[in-house]
Amino acid sequence: MMTDDRGGLTEALGDTIGAGTEIATVRRLLHQSNELINNIAALTDKRAELNPLPGSLRKRHLRCGKRSCRCRSGALHGPYYYFEPSRQHGKWRYVPKERLSEVRQGIADWKKQREIDEMLQACAAELDAALKALRQGVELLVQPPE
Ligand SMILES: [Zn+2]
């Protein structure tokens, strides 16, 4: 930050015109808005890296139907994994073992995406408030109340 003597001049003149505090307010709001914009940019980048899979993993043990099979006496086959989509009436889909970690990662990403979305909404609301205050601050700066 460069120093100049405008602050000193304002102090010397006193705060009669109020410009010193208005400038400080505008600077503070600009700083706050910049921080929020940076947060939103970082969250958006993080969100873009995700491969969300909306749904959950279900585990099943099954009986095959062969008369002589051990599963008849209770030793069921499995576990078999299925993916249940989160949308209503989504059909379960069988997940082969070699794709299990991929599906788990997708479900974790989906959860992470929802967390990021909540943070994005909070940041956007804060930015909205900061920008409104900034506009008022600028208006007061250029047109001080009489
Ligand atoms: Zn069986």
Side-chain angles (χ1 to χ4, degrees), residues 47 50-57 83-87 103-117:
R47 195 185 195 278
L50 300 175
N51 268 315
L53 204 51
S56 39
L57 206 57
F83 175 74
E84 183 187 9
S86 69
R87 63 190 163 80
V103 170
R104 283 198 172 112
Q105 183 61 54
I107 293 167
D109 278 7
W110 178 51
K111 193 183 167 198
K112 212 179 280 174
Q113 182 178 277
R114 283 178 296 170
E115 288 166 3
I116 287 175
D117 286 356

Side-chain angles (χ1 to χ4, degrees), residues 64 69 71 77:
C64 69
C69 188
C71 68
H77 302 280

Side-chain angles (χ1 to χ4, degrees):
M1 266 284 197
M2 287 206 312
T3 52
D4 56 30
D5 53 1
R6 278 184 291 170
L9 185 60
T10 307
E11 273 169 40
L13 292 171
D15 214 7
T16 46
I17 54 170
T21 41
E22 291 310 332
I23 287 170
T25 300
V26 166
R27 281 188 178 146
R28 182 178 56 76
L29 289 166
L30 279 172
H31 179 72
Q32 193 191 344
S33 302
N34 276 330
E35 297 257 291
L36 287 164
I37 287 168
N38 288 339
N39 284 352
I40 289 170
L43 286 168
T44 306
D45 286 349
K46 235 186 241 176
R47 195 185 195 278
E49 287 168 12
L50 300 175
N51 268 315
L53 204 51
S56 39
L57 206 57
R58 303 287 178 206
K59 194 158 95 172
R60 282 282 174 273
H61 289 84
L62 301 172
R63 185 168 280 139
C64 69
K66 283 179 197 157
R67 276 196 167 186
S68 57
C69 188
R70 62 184 166 91
C71 68
R72 279 270 160 175
S73 58
L76 300 180
H77 302 280
Y80 299 104
Y81 290 90
Y82 296 84
F83 175 74
E84 183 187 9
S86 69
R87 63 190 163 80
Q88 282 189 322
H89 310 303
K91 277 188 182 165
W92 288 29
R93 279 168 49 198
Y94 174 67
V95 180
K97 264 191 184 131
E98 63 269 20
R99 294 198 66 189
L100 211 47
S101 65
E102 185 191 335
V103 170
R104 283 198 172 112
Q105 183 61 54
I107 293 167
D109 278 7
W110 178 51
K111 193 183 167 198
K112 212 179 280 174
Q113 182 178 277
R114 283 178 296 170
E115 288 166 3
I116 287 175
D117 286 356
E118 273 181 32
M119 289 190 271
L120 275 172
Q121 280 176 317
C123 280
E126 272 185 66
L127 180 60
D128 190 46
L131 290 176
K132 276 179 185 148
L134 178 63
R135 185 187 169 146
Q136 283 179 342
V138 170
E139 276 169 8
L140 280 172
L141 182 68
V142 300
Q143 216 168 38
E146 283 160 35

